[in-house]
Amino acid sequence: TEWPGLPIPNFVGGERGEVSITQLTTQAELDEEGRALQHCVATYGFSCRNGRCGIFALRINHKPTITLEVDKHRFIVQARGRYNRYLTDDERNWVVRWLGENRLAMAKYL
């Protein structure tokens, strides 16, 4: 299953492009992300297909680090790493840079 995703650009950063934030737009990508980070993102396929949210994957040095849920109002409502851990300061800095470039907002509790 595939869907168009939210109209939010992906991100590439770092001196050699070692940081990326990419929207996941297939059930297979959600399944892979969930397995890699051991959390429940695979269950979000229905919400993504219906345009209620978009799921983005933060990678540092091509390794999965954080999964981001962005709602249809361009608000980051979840950010979780392996086993649902919270953002590190470095990860937060990259996410804040991406949201600033794309006029997104982040929930205060993140």
Side-chain angles (χ1 to χ4, degrees):
T1 304
E2 192 171 340
W3 50 87
L6 297 178
I8 299 170
N10 293 329
F11 172 85
V12 176
E15 290 181 18
R16 294 176 302 277
E18 66 271 12
V19 178
S20 66
I21 299 175
T22 307
Q23 188 163 192
L24 307 180
T25 58
T26 69
Q27 186 61 52
E29 290 174 330
L30 293 181
D31 293 344
E32 183 180 325
E33 183 82 355
R35 278 192 301 275
L37 296 180
Q38 298 293 301
H39 57 44
C40 69
V41 73
T43 65
Y44 284 76
F46 182 79
S47 294
C48 291
R49 284 190 305 275
N50 289 309
R52 286 195 290 244
C53 71
I55 301 295
F56 291 80
L58 170 64
R59 305 268 190 269
I60 298 177
N61 295 318
H62 306 288
K63 294 180 183 176
T65 57
I66 293 292
T67 307
L68 304 156
E69 178 190 359
V70 180
D71 71 14
K72 64 182 178 182
H73 304 291
R74 304 176 67 84
F75 221 81
I76 300 173
V77 295
Q78 283 196 81
R80 294 287 186 262
R82 189 167 179 84
Y83 302 118
N84 285 322
R85 71 165 175 79
Y86 292 103
L87 293 161
T88 65
D89 289 340
D90 185 48
E91 293 162 346
R92 180 180 307 279
N93 289 335
W94 288 112
V95 171
V96 167
R97 183 171 163 191
W98 173 63
L99 66 86
E101 290 180 7
N102 293 290
R103 295 184 5 212
L104 302 169
M106 187 161 52
K108 290 180 182 181
Y109 54 84
L110 296 176

